[in-house]
Amino acid sequence: MTYNEIRKLFLNYFESHGHKIVPSASLIPNDPTLLFTVAGMVPWKNIFLGFEDAPAPRVADVQKCIRAGGKHNDLEDVGFDGRHHTFFEMLGNWSFGDYFKEGAIEMSWDLLTNVIGIDPARLVVTAHETDDESAKIWKRVAGKDAIRLGKDNWWSAGDTGPCGPCSEIFYDFGENVPGGLPGTPDEDGGRYVEIWNDVFMQYNRDANGNLTKLPKQNVDTGAGLERWAAVLQGKFDNYDTDLFVNLKNAVSDVTGVHETDENKTSFKVITDHLRSVGFAIADGVIPSNSDRGYVIRRILRRAMRHGQLLGHNGALLSRLYPALVEQMGDAYPELRANATHVMEIITNEENAFADMLNNGLKLLEHELPKVSNGVLPGAVAFKLFDTYGFPLDLTQMILREKNLTVDTAGFESEMAAQKERSRADTRGTRVLWESRSELPATIDGAKYAPDENMESTVLAILRDGEFVENANDGDAVEVALDKTNFYGTQGGQTGDSGELKIGNNVVLNVTDAIRANNIVLHRGTVMGKISVGDKVHSVVNPQNRAATARAHTATHLLQAALRKVLNTDVEQRGSRVAPDSVRFDFSFGRAMTEAEKTAVENLVNEWINADMPVLHEEMPIDEAKKRGAMALFGEKYGDVVRVITAGDVSCELCGGTHVNHTGEIMRAKINKEKSISSGIRRITMSVGALA
Ligand code: SER
C-alpha cells in the first residue's frame, strides 16, 4: 500500500465511522509556545481546553508535523537509523467529548486487523499503570493483556496544557530483529515499533503540575504514516518505503550518485530535510537568523553539506523540490500552489550559502590538524559561524563524521563578546549612559496617562560626550530624570517630544525621548539653563502623542487586515510607528496585488469608521494567552502584560500608546508595498491628517 493509498484508507475508514475529514493545519502553529506543529493535537489544543468549539464531535485528518527544535527535536538523529524524521505525517482521529476509551480502542483494532489485515499476533498493546479501564477493554476487544507502563503511557504536548493517559499499539517486526518488549531495557532495539498512540485527553496540567479535569473527555490518536508505510510495505527502514525511494531516486538524478551502504546517511538526511524545508516554506516560514526561520536555514544548510558529501556542490533542494511536489502535491496542494515562491526562496538560500560552505570547509581542513584533544576550539567554530554562516550544529555534524566535538562553552563566550562589540558600535551615547550604573531606572509608569503635576528631579546631563552639572542656552543635551511622563522609544514606537519646564519657563525643548537600558533620556536643546538637581515638569507634546497613538493602533489594524486578506501566515517582522506614519515589515513570499492592497486598506478604514472601542488592559500572561492575544515569537514577556484589544478584530500584547476608539485614527492610506529581503515585505502607511 502506497502513502497515497494509506492516507485514503485511513480517512475513508473514519469518515464511514461518522468523522468529519479536515485538511492538515499549517506547520506554523497558532501557539507562541511552539516553533512548529509537533503533533496532530496541536491545532486542537484550544478545543480540548474548552476555549473554542470543535468543527464536529468526531474528526479525522493527516497532519504535517516538524520536530526540529525545542522539547520535540529529532534533528540530530536523522540519517542514523530508519525511524527518525524532522518532518513526518501523523494520521489522527479525534473525539471532542464524543466516544472515549472504548470507541477509540475498538476502532484502532478493527482498522488494523480487520480492514488492513495485520496479523493480531504481531501486535502488542500497552496501557497506563493507573488505567485499568483501557486494559479491560483491550482484553475484551483483542484478547490481549496490555503491558502497563508509567510515564511512557502519559502524553502531553508541553509541560503544561491538555494531557492524559495513553495506550499504544506496537508492531512486532519478528525475532530476527534485535530488541525487547516496550518497558524492557532494550525496548529501543527496533523489533517492536509503536505504530499508534491513543491518548485519552482528560486533564489540563498547570505550571505547578496540578491536574484539573478538562470540560470534556476527548480522544487524540496519532499514528506515524511513515511507520505504517514501512509495516504495510514489509520494510524495516522507513526510508525504503515508496515515497522515500522515489525521493532518493531524484537525489541520484540530481547528484549523479547512487545509494550505497557508505552514503545512505546522506540520502536519508537529504530526503528528510527536503520535506521539512519544502513544507515549512510552503506554509510561510522564511529562512532567517531567528526562531523557526533559523531552524529551517540550519536544516537547509545541513542538507547542502550532505549534497557536498555526495560530491554535489551548489543548488540541491531547489532542484529536488519538483520531485517532492510530484510525490506529495496531491495530498498537500499548497506545495504546488506555492511552488514558484518556495523554489525561489530555496534557490536564494542555496546560492548565498554555496561558496560559504566550500570556503568554511577549507578553513576547517586547515584547522583540523591543529586539534589535539578531539575538541575544536570555540573560536574556530565561531569564525565558521560568523564569517561562513555555519550554524553550530552544522559544524558539530561535520565533526561527528570525524569523531570530534566542539568546545561549545568557548563558542558561546565568543558569541557573547561579539554581541557586546556590535552593541557598542551602534549605540552611540548609550554606552556612556550605561556606564552610569548608579543611576536608577526611570519611573515611567505615567507614560500611558501623563500627569501634568508630576514633579521630577534632574539626575544627570550629558553634553558632547561628557556628563556635566549644568548646561546652558543652545546646548544639545540628553537629560535623565527620576521619573517622567515621556514615552521613550520602544517596541518600534518612536519617543515623545515635548518640554521640560521649571514653573512657566521651558528649560529643555525635547525633540526625542530614547532609552538606554531602563533610563529614559530626554534629548533636546537647552533654553536658558538646566542643572542637575533642578525640579522640573515633563510635558508631553499632545499633538505628537495623539498622532503616534493613531499610527500605533492603525498598525494593529493593518496586521489584522493582512492576516485576513492574504489568508496566510503573515507575521510581523518589524515595525516603526511614528506620528501619523507606519512602517510595517511582515513575512510574505510575493508582491501583494493591487486588489489585495485595496482590500487591506478598505478593511482598515472600515474598522476605523466602525469606531470600535480600544481597550488597554494589564493582565497575567496566561490570561492574555487565553484571550488569544498575538505575541511576537521569541520576545520575552513579563508575568504581567499589557493587552491592546481593538473591537473584535485585534488583540495584541503591546507596550505602546494607543487611541481609545478606532475612529480617532480618522483614515489610513497605504503608500507603498515592497520587498526588503527574501520573503519579507514592507508596507508604509499614513494615517490621520497625513492620510
Ligand atoms: N498526541 C499524541 C502523539 O503525538 C497522539 O496523537 O503521540
Side-chain angles (χ1 to χ4, degrees), residues 22 80 93 95 154 182 197 235 252 273 301 322 348 373 386 433 436 529 603 642 662:
V22 300
F80 297 99
N93 56 293
S95 155
W154 189 272
N197 186 11
K235 306 288 181 199
S252 292
H273 290 10
R301 293 184 175 185
N348 288 344
N373 52 355
D386 198 35
W433 283 103
R436 297 284 309 264
K529 182 177 178 199
L603 199 51
R642 210 157 161 268
T662 57

Side-chain angles (χ1 to χ4, degrees), residues 138-422:
W138 275 120
K139 189 78 186 167
R140 181 177 64 70
V141 171
K144 297 254 176 201
D145 290 316
I147 298 173
R148 308 293 290 269
L149 300 174
K151 69 174 177 24
D152 283 348
N153 273 152
W154 189 272
W155 205 90
S156 60
D159 297 331
T160 59
C163 58
C166 63
S167 177
E168 295 175 314
I169 305 172
F170 287 75
Y171 180 81
D172 178 3
F173 273 91
E175 56 194 15
N176 295 337
V177 179
L181 281 165
T184 61
D186 55 345
E187 61 181 352
D188 291 330
R191 174 169 172 182
Y192 296 93
V193 173
E194 179 212 327
I195 56 167
W196 208 340
N197 186 11
D198 288 0
V199 184
F200 308 116
M201 287 286 179
Q202 47 187 324
Y203 300 106
N204 184 15
R205 188 161 54 192
D206 69 16
N208 300 323
N210 299 324
L211 297 177
T212 45
K213 278 209 153 181
L214 289 172
K216 290 176 177 167
Q217 294 188 319
N218 312 287
V219 172
D220 148 21
T221 90
L225 174 56
E226 295 74 10
R227 292 181 178 185
W228 279 38
V231 168
L232 300 181
Q233 294 176 22
K235 306 288 181 199
F236 179 62
D237 187 319
N238 296 354
Y239 290 85
D240 288 335
T241 53
D242 67 292
L243 191 156
F244 283 98
V245 169
N246 293 336
L247 291 181
K248 287 192 294 188
N249 287 340
V251 174
S252 292
D253 289 344
V254 168
T255 61
V257 176
H258 288 286
E259 189 183 6
T260 63
D261 276 349
E262 281 70 48
N263 66 20
K264 63 174 187 238
T265 295
S266 293
F267 274 82
K268 288 179 179 175
V269 170
I270 294 169
T271 51
D272 171 80
H273 290 10
L274 168 65
R275 300 209 304 166
S276 286
V277 170
F279 271 91
I281 297 178
D283 269 356
V285 176
I286 306 290
S288 71
N289 277 339
S290 61
D291 60 76
R292 62 176 76 88
Y294 195 50
V295 175
I296 294 306
R297 174 167 285 171
R298 281 162 47 208
I299 295 179
L300 181 142
R301 293 184 175 185
R302 290 170 79 104
M304 282 183 86
R305 158 65 177 165
H306 277 276
Q308 197 254 359
L309 283 175
L310 297 179
H312 175 87
N313 288 305
L316 177 66
L317 298 188
S318 51
R319 296 179 59 189
L320 291 169
Y321 187 75
L324 178 68
V325 174
E326 195 180 317
Q327 287 306 307
M328 303 188 72
D330 290 342
Y332 300 95
E334 63 273 24
L335 288 181
R336 203 165 266 131
N338 300 330
T340 318
H341 158 72
V342 177
M343 298 228 297
E344 191 182 306
I345 292 198
I346 301 182
T347 307
N348 288 344
E349 273 294 298
E350 293 189 324
N351 288 345
F353 188 59
D355 287 343
M356 293 205 281
L357 175 62
N358 285 327
N359 293 336
L361 287 169
K362 274 189 208 135
L363 172 81
L364 198 54
E365 251 164 52
H366 184 72
E367 293 291 333
L368 283 183
K370 299 185 207 161
V371 173
S372 51
N373 52 355
V375 183
L376 185 78
V380 178
F382 184 72
K383 178 148 195 208
L384 285 169
F385 168 81
D386 198 35
T387 315
Y388 300 103
F390 278 42
L392 179 63
D393 67 278
L394 175 66
T395 304
Q396 287 170 319
M397 179 181 91
I398 296 168
L399 293 176
R400 179 169 164 177
E401 295 157 15
K402 307 177 199 306
N403 283 324
L404 300 174
T405 58
V406 179
D407 169 14
T408 45
F411 175 86
E412 295 302 341
S413 76
E414 292 284 335
M415 179 83 116
Q418 201 241 28
K419 277 200 181 134
E420 186 48 43
R421 280 194 301 277
S422 73

